[in-house]
Amino acid sequence: MSSTVPKTNGKVPLDASLLTIEVAGTLKPIKTDYMLVMTFDPLTGWSARNQTLCAVSALALDPASNCFQYCTNVFEGMKAFLDPDGKPRMFRPEQNMARLVTSAARMALPCVPAMFDPDALLVCINKLVSLEARWISALPDHALYIRPTMIGTKPSIKVGASDHATLYVIVTPVGPYFQSSSGGVSLLAGGEHVRSWPGGTGGFKLGPNYSPGFVPQRIASDFGYDQVLWLLGEEKQITEAGAMNFFAVIEREEGGVNVVTPPLDGTILPGITRDSALVLLRAHAADPAKQLLALSGSKPVYIEERVLTVPELAAAAASGTLLECFGTGTAVLVVAIERIGDVADPALKTIADIGTSAGRGLGPVGQTLWDKLLAVKEGREDFHGWSVLCE
Ligand SMILES: *Cc1c(COP(=O)(O)O)cnc(C)c1O
């Protein structure tokens, strides 16, 4: 491979053909057995000896490692589902690889194209998933959660970019994410804490974007809410719901519904579920006759990626035009938001108490997206080749 890729200066690029499998001695009764580990050294590249699938074990790192001191940690979240033939499939995995490269670049971690081929990494992840396929339950909405992680391992406390890195991928079996009886979640809006801001890093999947959210999350829990509704600025722009992208369905005066989600302005994590929902909704809106989404034909759907504020949402709720709110993400797929409270109001006035229908509490738009996305993820239906076999 290095002969076809110039500019590596004798260093070893990330190369799926170098992957070795260290067979685990005893397979475990619970949790998964294998992980993928690769290390990058600025002098030698991705160590040929160290591109391995090996038994899950602790990492030994210098305590001065850049990741411990300056949190140069980035990650991805993916899932593999079993298809009707019992074969594992991943959903748009090249999107996760592309986002991982973007995140690593934002953290100044080593990921120049000649050395870091996301397709090669994907081949290795495929092998890991195939090895661990026995952990995937065939029950609906059960999957193997896949957590690619890249950390800066430069062994120095000097403030600066890490030219060393460890890339590892761990997996764990998962079932449905939120298991509240109603199926929906409640959100506490506002407060003094902000998740992301213009010019910040909210648009990247960086570890240090999440830990500052733990205190506000605890406050939300103390008030009896499931998650934080992240807001930005005086206007109370809605950015995200917990670690999910936010959608609202609002009835239009002229007939039909607006499906509104905040735009990718750098403060919003560009969710692959968000993008997939928008692609499906736009395809449906362009040709409802195709019945791509099983939405009753009577209500045309309009997609709006735009700023949405709490006052607008509250007004829609008060006038009865707020039909649905839901969050999207790999972990939850699509989850109903059934109640939003405001921390700025001492009485915790409910901004929106969203009427939800049966099942998971989702309304027609959310439920339709859930059905379609899960069918594609589980390989029961095809859409644009989004579901990819692991072999
Ligand atoms: C990962 C994540 C999402 C969802 O992204 P998907 O690609 O759909 O899983 C949304 N918001 C935040 C803050 C996230 O970290």
Side-chain angles (χ1 to χ4, degrees), residues 32-385:
T32 51
D33 299 295
Y34 286 96
M35 66 179 186
L36 173 66
V37 190
M38 304 172 158
T39 57
F40 181 85
D41 180 287
L43 296 178
T44 54
W46 294 95
S47 152
R49 271 182 298 109
N50 242 334
Q51 304 196 20
T52 52
L53 279 168
C54 54
V56 176
S57 64
L59 298 173
L61 294 174
D62 189 302
S65 293
N66 192 284
C67 60
F68 296 138
Q69 303 297 327
Y70 309 115
C71 305
T72 39
N73 306 326
V74 310
F75 67 96
E76 268 306 318
M78 315 162 71
K79 276 181 178 176
F81 292 83
L82 286 188
D83 71 10
D85 298 329
K87 298 238 171 69
R89 285 174 173 271
M90 291 192 284
F91 181 74
R92 306 183 74 188
E94 74 294 340
Q95 299 284 323
N96 296 92
M97 296 299 100
R99 195 167 63 188
L100 181 66
V101 171
T102 313
S103 301
R106 182 64 185 83
M107 278 299 210
L109 286 169
C111 59
V112 296
M115 293 300 294
F116 188 93
D117 176 3
D119 292 339
L121 175 58
L122 195 50
V123 170
C124 299
I125 293 177
N126 265 296
K127 293 202 170 130
L128 174 62
V129 171
S130 301
L131 256 183
E132 295 289 43
R134 73 183 178 107
W135 291 105
I136 315 177
S137 161
L139 290 171
D141 196 24
H142 283 62
L144 191 68
Y145 184 78
I146 307 162
R147 173 53 69 90
T149 311
M150 190 167 175
I151 59 178
T153 49
K154 183 176 186 174
S156 159
I157 54 172
K158 187 161 177 281
V159 178
S162 179
D163 54 2
H164 291 62
T166 294
L167 174 60
Y168 63 92
V169 184
I170 46 178
V171 295
T172 188
V174 288
Y177 194 78
F178 289 112
Q179 290 180 325
S180 73
S181 52
S182 64
V185 296
S186 55
L187 305 176
L188 182 62
E192 58 183 315
H193 301 107
V194 176
R195 188 193 92 90
S196 61
W197 46 88
T201 56
F204 302 91
K205 233 170 161 70
L206 314 182
N209 282 349
Y210 299 85
S211 39
F214 298 161
V215 162
Q217 170 61 44
R218 188 186 287 161
I219 294 169
S221 302
D222 288 348
F223 279 106
Y225 289 80
D226 296 310
Q227 299 276 314
V228 179
L229 179 66
W230 295 108
L231 306 181
L232 178 63
E234 299 281 298
E235 299 180 282
K236 296 194 176 181
Q237 289 181 26
I238 292 170
T239 58
E240 298 203 48
M244 301 181 289
N245 292 119
F246 184 90
F247 284 80
V249 181
I250 302 172
E251 188 144 39
R252 292 160 64 100
E253 261 176 44
E254 322 84 277
V257 298
N258 288 333
V259 180
V260 187
T261 194
L264 299 181
D265 60 0
T267 65
I268 310 286
L269 195 286
I272 295 159
T273 319
R274 172 190 181 279
D275 180 71
S276 305
L278 290 175
V279 170
L280 285 168
L281 287 166
R282 289 203 168 102
H284 173 82
D287 190 358
K290 272 196 186 153
Q291 289 291 308
L292 174 70
L293 295 173
L295 285 167
S296 60
S298 55
K299 280 190 183 165
V301 173
Y302 301 85
I303 293 98
E304 297 190 339
E305 282 180 81
R306 63 164 173 87
V307 169
L308 176 66
T309 65
V310 166
E312 182 189 349
L313 196 73
S319 68
T321 56
L322 179 60
L323 304 179
E324 300 177 41
C325 279
F326 54 86
T328 65
T330 295
V332 295
L333 193 50
V334 182
V335 72
I337 294 164
E338 48 188 24
R339 190 163 57 97
I340 299 173
D342 186 354
V343 79
D345 186 315
L348 279 185
K349 182 168 66 79
T350 295
I351 294 174
D353 210 339
I354 304 123
T356 49
S357 49
R360 264 171 301 276
L362 290 163
V365 175
Q367 183 64 47
T368 306
L369 287 170
W370 163 282
D371 289 339
K372 185 75 182 181
L373 286 167
L374 193 62
V376 175
K377 289 186 173 210
E378 294 182 345
R380 290 180 276 116
E381 283 179 38
D382 179 41
F383 186 79
H384 288 353

